[in-house]
Amino acid sequence: MNTPQKGLDITTAKSSRLDQVDFNNLVFGKYYADHMMICDYKDGAWQTPKIMPYGPMEIEPSSKVFHYGQAVFEGMKAFKDDEDKVWLFRPEENFERINISSKRMAIPEFPKDYFFNSLETLLDLDQEWVKKGEGNSLYIRPFAIGTEYGVSASPSNEYKFIIICCPAKAYYSTPVKVLISDHYSRSADGGVGFAKAAGNYGASFYPTNLAKEKGYQQVIWTDASTHEYLEEAGTMNVFFRIGDKLITA
Ligand SMILES: Cc1ncc(COP(=O)(O)O)c(C=O)c1O
């Protein structure tokens, strides 16, 4: 991890897009808060994080992420209490987990104070995007991608660490019917199952589509060698109650 430099470059949005959002009929992931954070990694160091209006960015088509999938992400949430104070749910754990995922994907770890300084600033700028009341939250999506151009199969020397945010209600609005997978696997010994690597999700879509055709919404994965042991669900934690015992991965 490089020694972080203090400071943020901040460019605020000229106007807010808040009035374009129907908060009563939110579709998960459709609307993004006014600002995002982008931090570049080059010459062996994370540069000064930049906060800027949310919008498209330019990346070379030969960037490593498009060819070798060097990409990791996190999903975390902010909530607003009745006094308009914004709270994060277990942010330290999410921060630690993205660096565990990054390490497995040969992506340089992100400095902790860069992460929390920029996240606090983002939440301050976009606090109107966090709605109070039961079920409301702001979903925070930090992610890191390899952006160096060149299709040689080697780790990227350049990366972008980005944070975007979208207002959310419950991810599923009805009970979820799950299919226990006895053929396809999500993770194998020595593999990347423990990492929140983008490719783990890409690889789950085909088996999940097959499950959807049978009337299920999600797959519960089993161990890759015997398919006898339950592991986890595709997009969420899974808990089992056996008598008075609650068991979760
Ligand atoms: C595979 C998987 N398991 C579990 C979760 C639940 O997330 P967390 O571990 O942050 O509670 C998610 C959320 O994206 C997920 O994709």
Side-chain angles (χ1 to χ4, degrees), residues 218-243:
Q218 273 294 308
V219 170
I220 295 209
W221 303 102
T222 53
D223 72 287
S225 16
T226 67
H227 294 290
E228 277 177 34
Y229 299 97
L230 297 166
E231 291 195 329
E232 68 168 327
T235 52
M236 69 198 91
N237 297 316
V238 56
F239 294 79
F240 301 93
R241 181 181 160 179
I242 302 176

mmCIF file of all heavy atoms in Angstrom, residues 218-243:
data_model
loop_
_atom_site.group_PDB
_atom_site.id
_atom_site.type_symbol
_atom_site.label_atom_id
_atom_site.label_comp_id
_atom_site.label_asym_id
_atom_site.label_seq_id
_atom_site.Cartn_x
_atom_site.Cartn_y
_atom_site.Cartn_z
ATOM 1 N N GLN A 218 -32.932 -17.097 -7.795
ATOM 2 C CA GLN A 218 -31.532 -17.135 -7.398
ATOM 3 C C GLN A 218 -31.063 -18.573 -7.237
ATOM 4 O O GLN A 218 -31.879 -19.490 -7.085
ATOM 5 C CB GLN A 218 -31.341 -16.408 -6.066
ATOM 6 C CG GLN A 218 -31.123 -14.917 -6.230
ATOM 7 C CD GLN A 218 -29.800 -14.623 -6.930
ATOM 8 O OE1 GLN A 218 -28.742 -15.105 -6.539
ATOM 9 N NE2 GLN A 218 -29.873 -13.837 -7.986
ATOM 10 N N VAL A 219 -29.743 -18.714 -7.252
ATOM 11 C CA VAL A 219 -29.135 -20.026 -7.070
ATOM 12 C C VAL A 219 -28.447 -20.063 -5.709
ATOM 13 O O VAL A 219 -27.844 -19.077 -5.294
ATOM 14 C CB VAL A 219 -28.090 -20.270 -8.194
ATOM 15 C CG1 VAL A 219 -27.260 -21.505 -7.912
ATOM 16 C CG2 VAL A 219 -28.777 -20.377 -9.549
ATOM 17 N N ILE A 220 -28.561 -21.180 -5.016
ATOM 18 C CA ILE A 220 -27.705 -21.402 -3.842
ATOM 19 C C ILE A 220 -26.605 -22.348 -4.290
ATOM 20 O O ILE A 220 -26.877 -23.432 -4.824
ATOM 21 C CB ILE A 220 -28.496 -21.990 -2.653
ATOM 22 C CG1 ILE A 220 -29.521 -20.945 -2.207
ATOM 23 C CG2 ILE A 220 -27.551 -22.408 -1.523
ATOM 24 C CD1 ILE A 220 -29.904 -20.962 -0.768
ATOM 25 N N TRP A 221 -25.378 -21.896 -4.125
ATOM 26 C CA TRP A 221 -24.229 -22.661 -4.612
ATOM 27 C C TRP A 221 -23.828 -23.725 -3.608
ATOM 28 O O TRP A 221 -23.972 -23.532 -2.397
ATOM 29 C CB TRP A 221 -23.047 -21.723 -4.879
ATOM 30 C CG TRP A 221 -23.415 -20.646 -5.844
ATOM 31 C CD1 TRP A 221 -23.707 -19.354 -5.551
ATOM 32 C CD2 TRP A 221 -23.597 -20.787 -7.256
ATOM 33 N NE1 TRP A 221 -24.050 -18.671 -6.694
ATOM 34 C CE2 TRP A 221 -23.989 -19.523 -7.752
ATOM 35 C CE3 TRP A 221 -23.463 -21.851 -8.159
ATOM 36 C CZ2 TRP A 221 -24.251 -19.301 -9.102
ATOM 37 C CZ3 TRP A 221 -23.715 -21.617 -9.501
ATOM 38 C CH2 TRP A 221 -24.105 -20.357 -9.955
ATOM 39 N N THR A 222 -23.332 -24.823 -4.149
ATOM 40 C CA THR A 222 -22.826 -25.895 -3.297
ATOM 41 C C THR A 222 -21.329 -26.064 -3.586
ATOM 42 O O THR A 222 -20.815 -25.466 -4.532
ATOM 43 C CB THR A 222 -23.565 -27.206 -3.608
ATOM 44 O OG1 THR A 222 -23.485 -27.440 -5.026
ATOM 45 C CG2 THR A 222 -25.026 -27.136 -3.200
ATOM 46 N N ASP A 223 -20.646 -26.868 -2.790
ATOM 47 C CA ASP A 223 -19.196 -27.004 -2.987
ATOM 48 C C ASP A 223 -18.893 -27.646 -4.341
ATOM 49 O O ASP A 223 -19.630 -28.518 -4.812
ATOM 50 C CB ASP A 223 -18.574 -27.820 -1.846
ATOM 51 C CG ASP A 223 -18.950 -29.280 -1.946
ATOM 52 O OD1 ASP A 223 -20.109 -29.612 -1.665
ATOM 53 O OD2 ASP A 223 -18.079 -30.088 -2.342
ATOM 54 N N ALA A 224 -17.781 -27.204 -4.952
ATOM 55 C CA ALA A 224 -17.480 -27.591 -6.333
ATOM 56 C C ALA A 224 -17.132 -29.063 -6.478
ATOM 57 O O ALA A 224 -17.359 -29.651 -7.532
ATOM 58 C CB ALA A 224 -16.337 -26.735 -6.858
ATOM 59 N N SER A 225 -16.582 -29.704 -5.444
ATOM 60 C CA SER A 225 -16.156 -31.091 -5.655
ATOM 61 C C SER A 225 -17.259 -32.111 -5.448
ATOM 62 O O SER A 225 -17.340 -33.075 -6.197
ATOM 63 C CB SER A 225 -14.924 -31.450 -4.804
ATOM 64 O OG SER A 225 -14.705 -30.558 -3.794
ATOM 65 N N THR A 226 -18.114 -31.903 -4.442
ATOM 66 C CA THR A 226 -19.123 -32.953 -4.188
ATOM 67 C C THR A 226 -20.564 -32.468 -4.353
ATOM 68 O O THR A 226 -21.481 -33.278 -4.452
ATOM 69 C CB THR A 226 -18.987 -33.481 -2.742
ATOM 70 O OG1 THR A 226 -19.346 -32.419 -1.844
ATOM 71 C CG2 THR A 226 -17.567 -33.929 -2.436
ATOM 72 N N HIS A 227 -20.765 -31.164 -4.348
ATOM 73 C CA HIS A 227 -22.119 -30.562 -4.383
ATOM 74 C C HIS A 227 -22.977 -31.043 -3.215
ATOM 75 O O HIS A 227 -24.192 -31.099 -3.305
ATOM 76 C CB HIS A 227 -22.834 -30.847 -5.721
ATOM 77 C CG HIS A 227 -22.155 -30.185 -6.873
ATOM 78 N ND1 HIS A 227 -22.158 -28.828 -7.065
ATOM 79 C CD2 HIS A 227 -21.431 -30.707 -7.894
ATOM 80 C CE1 HIS A 227 -21.466 -28.543 -8.153
ATOM 81 N NE2 HIS A 227 -21.007 -29.654 -8.671
ATOM 82 N N GLU A 228 -22.324 -31.405 -2.117
ATOM 83 C CA GLU A 228 -23.060 -31.875 -0.940
ATOM 84 C C GLU A 228 -23.223 -30.774 0.093
ATOM 85 O O GLU A 228 -24.095 -30.852 0.946
ATOM 86 C CB GLU A 228 -22.297 -33.030 -0.275
ATOM 87 C CG GLU A 228 -22.557 -34.363 -0.918
ATOM 88 C CD GLU A 228 -21.714 -35.450 -0.271
ATOM 89 O OE1 GLU A 228 -21.479 -35.369 0.947
ATOM 90 O OE2 GLU A 228 -21.286 -36.355 -1.012
ATOM 91 N N TYR A 229 -22.323 -29.772 0.048
ATOM 92 C CA TYR A 229 -22.331 -28.747 1.100
ATOM 93 C C TYR A 229 -22.835 -27.414 0.546
ATOM 94 O O TYR A 229 -22.420 -26.987 -0.536
ATOM 95 C CB TYR A 229 -20.918 -28.571 1.668
ATOM 96 C CG TYR A 229 -20.406 -29.844 2.299
ATOM 97 C CD1 TYR A 229 -19.568 -30.702 1.585
ATOM 98 C CD2 TYR A 229 -20.790 -30.202 3.585
ATOM 99 C CE1 TYR A 229 -19.119 -31.885 2.144
ATOM 100 C CE2 TYR A 229 -20.347 -31.390 4.161
ATOM 101 C CZ TYR A 229 -19.518 -32.227 3.430
ATOM 102 O OH TYR A 229 -19.086 -33.398 3.984
ATOM 103 N N LEU A 230 -23.722 -26.777 1.314
ATOM 104 C CA LEU A 230 -24.262 -25.491 0.885
ATOM 105 C C LEU A 230 -23.229 -24.401 1.124
ATOM 106 O O LEU A 230 -22.573 -24.399 2.171
ATOM 107 C CB LEU A 230 -25.537 -25.184 1.682
ATOM 108 C CG LEU A 230 -26.672 -26.186 1.460
ATOM 109 C CD1 LEU A 230 -27.749 -26.009 2.526
ATOM 110 C CD2 LEU A 230 -27.272 -26.004 0.072
ATOM 111 N N GLU A 231 -23.084 -23.483 0.182
ATOM 112 C CA GLU A 231 -22.090 -22.414 0.357
ATOM 113 C C GLU A 231 -22.748 -21.052 0.497
ATOM 114 O O GLU A 231 -22.859 -20.525 1.574
ATOM 115 C CB GLU A 231 -21.072 -22.452 -0.768
ATOM 116 C CG GLU A 231 -20.202 -23.693 -0.639
ATOM 117 C CD GLU A 231 -18.951 -23.660 -1.464
ATOM 118 O OE1 GLU A 231 -18.956 -23.029 -2.542
ATOM 119 O OE2 GLU A 231 -17.968 -24.280 -1.037
ATOM 120 N N GLU A 232 -23.199 -20.449 -0.594
ATOM 121 C CA GLU A 232 -23.844 -19.140 -0.467
ATOM 122 C C GLU A 232 -24.791 -18.895 -1.623
ATOM 123 O O GLU A 232 -24.791 -19.629 -2.609
ATOM 124 C CB GLU A 232 -22.813 -18.026 -0.380
ATOM 125 C CG GLU A 232 -22.043 -17.816 -1.651
ATOM 126 C CD GLU A 232 -21.239 -16.524 -1.609
ATOM 127 O OE1 GLU A 232 -21.691 -15.550 -0.983
ATOM 128 O OE2 GLU A 232 -20.169 -16.494 -2.210
ATOM 129 N N ALA A 233 -25.596 -17.854 -1.478
ATOM 130 C CA ALA A 233 -26.541 -17.515 -2.536
ATOM 131 C C ALA A 233 -25.886 -16.508 -3.487
ATOM 132 O O ALA A 233 -24.876 -15.894 -3.146
ATOM 133 C CB ALA A 233 -27.809 -16.945 -1.924
ATOM 134 N N GLY A 234 -26.465 -16.351 -4.655
ATOM 135 C CA GLY A 234 -25.849 -15.554 -5.715
ATOM 136 C C GLY A 234 -25.639 -14.098 -5.395
ATOM 137 O O GLY A 234 -24.597 -13.529 -5.717
ATOM 138 N N THR A 235 -26.611 -13.455 -4.786
ATOM 139 C CA THR A 235 -26.486 -12.008 -4.561
ATOM 140 C C THR A 235 -26.616 -11.616 -3.100
ATOM 141 O O THR A 235 -26.699 -10.442 -2.783
ATOM 142 C CB THR A 235 -27.603 -11.254 -5.310
ATOM 143 O OG1 THR A 235 -28.857 -11.842 -4.938
ATOM 144 C CG2 THR A 235 -27.444 -11.312 -6.794
ATOM 145 N N MET A 236 -26.664 -12.603 -2.204
ATOM 146 C CA MET A 236 -26.976 -12.236 -0.820
ATOM 147 C C MET A 236 -26.449 -13.271 0.153
ATOM 148 O O MET A 236 -26.053 -14.367 -0.238
ATOM 149 C CB MET A 236 -28.489 -12.125 -0.647
ATOM 150 C CG MET A 236 -29.173 -13.481 -0.755
ATOM 151 S SD MET A 236 -30.915 -13.328 -1.072
ATOM 152 C CE MET A 236 -30.914 -13.356 -2.845
ATOM 153 N N ASN A 237 -26.484 -12.895 1.423
ATOM 154 C CA ASN A 237 -26.132 -13.850 2.472
ATOM 155 C C ASN A 237 -27.287 -14.819 2.659
ATOM 156 O O ASN A 237 -28.445 -14.472 2.434
ATOM 157 C CB ASN A 237 -25.863 -13.109 3.780
ATOM 158 C CG ASN A 237 -24.673 -12.186 3.655
ATOM 159 O OD1 ASN A 237 -23.655 -12.570 3.095
ATOM 160 N ND2 ASN A 237 -24.810 -10.970 4.133
ATOM 161 N N VAL A 238 -26.957 -16.035 3.100
ATOM 162 C CA VAL A 238 -28.007 -17.006 3.356
ATOM 163 C C VAL A 238 -27.817 -17.542 4.770
ATOM 164 O O VAL A 238 -26.695 -17.794 5.217
ATOM 165 C CB VAL A 238 -28.042 -18.089 2.248
ATOM 166 C CG1 VAL A 238 -26.717 -18.793 2.084
ATOM 167 C CG2 VAL A 238 -29.138 -19.085 2.467
ATOM 168 N N PHE A 239 -28.916 -17.619 5.490
ATOM 169 C CA PHE A 239 -28.891 -18.097 6.879
ATOM 170 C C PHE A 239 -29.769 -19.335 6.973
ATOM 171 O O PHE A 239 -30.843 -19.384 6.372
ATOM 172 C CB PHE A 239 -29.468 -17.039 7.836
ATOM 173 C CG PHE A 239 -28.639 -15.791 7.932
ATOM 174 C CD1 PHE A 239 -28.699 -14.818 6.946
ATOM 175 C CD2 PHE A 239 -27.810 -15.578 9.020
ATOM 176 C CE1 PHE A 239 -27.939 -13.663 7.024
ATOM 177 C CE2 PHE A 239 -27.043 -14.422 9.116
ATOM 178 C CZ PHE A 239 -27.119 -13.467 8.113
ATOM 179 N N PHE A 240 -29.325 -20.310 7.746
ATOM 180 C CA PHE A 240 -30.128 -21.514 7.982
ATOM 181 C C PHE A 240 -30.433 -21.593 9.465
ATOM 182 O O PHE A 240 -29.545 -21.365 10.290
ATOM 183 C CB PHE A 240 -29.347 -22.763 7.566
ATOM 184 C CG PHE A 240 -28.958 -22.741 6.114
ATOM 185 C CD1 PHE A 240 -27.716 -22.248 5.727
ATOM 186 C CD2 PHE A 240 -29.843 -23.175 5.141
ATOM 187 C CE1 PHE A 240 -27.364 -22.194 4.388
ATOM 188 C CE2 PHE A 240 -29.495 -23.126 3.802
ATOM 189 C CZ PHE A 240 -28.258 -22.641 3.429
ATOM 190 N N ARG A 241 -31.681 -21.916 9.774
ATOM 191 C CA ARG A 241 -32.015 -22.131 11.181
ATOM 192 C C ARG A 241 -32.206 -23.627 11.394
ATOM 193 O O ARG A 241 -33.053 -24.251 10.758
ATOM 194 C CB ARG A 241 -33.294 -21.376 11.532
ATOM 195 C CG ARG A 241 -33.646 -21.551 12.982
ATOM 196 C CD ARG A 241 -34.911 -20.838 13.337
ATOM 197 N NE ARG A 241 -35.424 -21.439 14.578
ATOM 198 C CZ ARG A 241 -36.514 -21.026 15.176
ATOM 199 N NH1 ARG A 241 -37.216 -20.047 14.671
ATOM 200 N NH2 ARG A 241 -36.913 -21.615 16.273
ATOM 201 N N ILE A 242 -31.399 -24.183 12.260
ATOM 202 C CA ILE A 242 -31.547 -25.595 12.609
ATOM 203 C C ILE A 242 -31.818 -25.641 14.108
ATOM 204 O O ILE A 242 -30.926 -25.349 14.915
ATOM 205 C CB ILE A 242 -30.296 -26.408 12.230
ATOM 206 C CG1 ILE A 242 -30.035 -26.266 10.718
ATOM 207 C CG2 ILE A 242 -30.461 -27.885 12.617
ATOM 208 C CD1 ILE A 242 -28.793 -26.929 10.197
ATOM 209 N N GLY A 243 -33.050 -25.922 14.472
ATOM 210 C CA GLY A 243 -33.433 -25.851 15.887
ATOM 211 C C GLY A 243 -33.256 -24.423 16.362
ATOM 212 O O GLY A 243 -33.761 -23.482 15.750
#
